[in-house]
Every structure is written in structure tokens, then in C-alpha cells.
Amino acid sequence: MTNVTIWNEYRHEQRSEKVASVYPEGIHGAIASFLNEEHTVKTATLDEEEHGLTEAVLNKTDVLIWWGHIAHNEVKDEIVTRVQKRVLEGMGLIILHSGHFSKIFKTLMGTSCDLKWREADEKERLWVVSPSHPIADGIDEYFELEKEEMYGEHFDIPNPDEIVFMSWFQGGEVFRSGCTFHRGNGKIFYFRPGHETFPTYKDKNVQTVIKNAVKWATPTKRAYPTYGNARPLEPVPGQSE
């Protein structure tokens, strides 16, 4: 079984009755509820010691799922560096919704990760644009969310390795809403839906995508490459021992 850690800043649910009514166990709890049958799941939140992301926790994590929004700047830089190191070593990372502006995502992308946005309770239609990709397994040509926050292009990210989903919104915008990246030995998937006031993570299609993404991002059993000065595999003329 894959060891999954779900990280959530867990602020909206504690401050807003509306959000708490949608996610009484927190967004992390909602995601854990549909992953824990197939995986070993742990949750972590911002206000825990070391944000719940200690060396011990991360060393046991195969895939880290990240949701944040209003407290990106409260995440300590040393924890960001710790997570980045684990991704480069092979840990999978799934960034959800407003996590696009998290320190860890911006660090790994090297860009502003900015975008257009609007809260207008719009319909979102997510099109599968890479139908053979394993993250799209079990999803029809498209699926719809009745109400979501709009994210619109231009999305300031590096060109993705693959675009799995493209969103269209009722107001007319489009958005690259399912993107994969590779950094070091690690695999990263950004998935757009998930505004805190809507029951997006209770949608079966959204759940299927996240389940598929966990499988895709699970590390391969391969040793981390050796870097730095290297001895020759065969004798090199003129080189001393």
C-alpha cells in the first residue's frame, strides 16, 4: 500500500461555519475518507509542530497531497526545503486548487504561478485532453462541477510535461487544470478544482482523479542517483589513482 500524507492548512474550516458545514472533518479528512481503503493515510496540518511534516513523517511518505489558501506565508521555509528535497529524491506531490500559490509549488516551478480568478458560483467543465493518461483512467470525455471558483489563463507555470485536463468556465475562461511535472526523481500533479465552500472533494469524478494521481505519483523503486566527482568505470590513460 502507498503511504499517503494529506496536508491541509486547516484554517477555513475552523473560521467559517459555511466551510465547516461542507467539510466537518476538514478538507484533509474528506480526502482521507476516500483514500484510506486503498492506502495507508496520514493527515497533517499547519498548526501542528513542524506543520506535521517532520523528517520522520516525510521519510515514510510516498505521496504528499497539499491544500492551502490563506496561510501560504506561514509555512516555514525550512519545511518547504525539506519537502522539496523529498520530492527530488522521489516522493510524489499532488498540489490541489489554491495550492498553486504555495511556497512549495512556486519553489518547484520557479515561476510566479499566478493566474486570473473569480468567485461567481460558475459551472466548470473539465475536458480530458490526454485520454490515454493513467490519471484520466475511468473518466469520460469530460465531467462537470455545478459550482466552482474560476481560474483563468494565463497560468504562469513552466510548460507542463503533460496536460491531462483543460477546464472551461461558464464566464468564458479556460484553464490548464490538470498538469504533470517531473522534478528530480519525483512526479508532481497539479489539479485545479477544490474551492473550500463547495463539496468538490465529494464528487466521484474528482475522487477518481485524485486516486489515479496517487497511483501515478507513487515513487518507482529506484536508487537516488549519485552526484558529484566520480571515479571512472574503466582505466583512463594519464589519470592517477
Side-chain angles (χ1 to χ4, degrees), residues 101-152:
F101 231 35
S102 63
K103 287 183 178 180
I104 183 58
F105 192 60
K106 291 197 288 187
T107 296
L108 288 164
M109 295 298 104
T111 57
S112 75
C113 299
D114 214 342
L115 45 78
K116 295 182 180 69
W117 62 274
R118 177 176 62 244
E119 291 184 32
D121 295 359
E122 297 173 57
K123 178 169 68 176
E124 177 180 5
R125 181 176 297 137
L126 292 99
W127 288 92
V128 176
V129 295
S130 184
S132 64
H133 199 283
I135 293 178
D137 190 32
I139 302 296
D140 289 336
E141 288 189 350
Y142 67 87
F143 67 94
E144 294 181 350
L145 299 171
E146 182 180 354
K147 293 182 180 180
E148 253 295 351
E149 179 182 15
M150 185 281 293
Y151 281 5

Side-chain angles (χ1 to χ4, degrees), residues 5-46:
T5 299
I6 304 166
W7 190 88
N8 174 24
E9 68 181 25
Y10 195 38
R11 289 290 174 80
H12 286 294
E13 301 94 321
Q14 297 182 82
R15 297 178 180 180
S16 167
E17 291 184 6
K18 182 177 182 180
V19 177
S21 68
V22 177
Y23 295 112
E25 303 300 322
I27 290 173
H28 52 301
I31 296 171
S33 70
F34 62 81
L35 289 179
N36 59 20
E37 292 183 3
E38 299 180 20
H39 306 289
T40 301
V41 177
K42 175 180 176 55
T43 62
T45 59
L46 178 66

Side-chain angles (χ1 to χ4, degrees), residues 39-57:
H39 306 289
T40 301
V41 177
K42 175 180 176 55
T43 62
T45 59
L46 178 66
D47 291 325
E48 295 178 41
E49 185 175 359
E50 299 183 56
H51 308 325
L53 299 175
T54 64
E55 294 273 8
V57 167

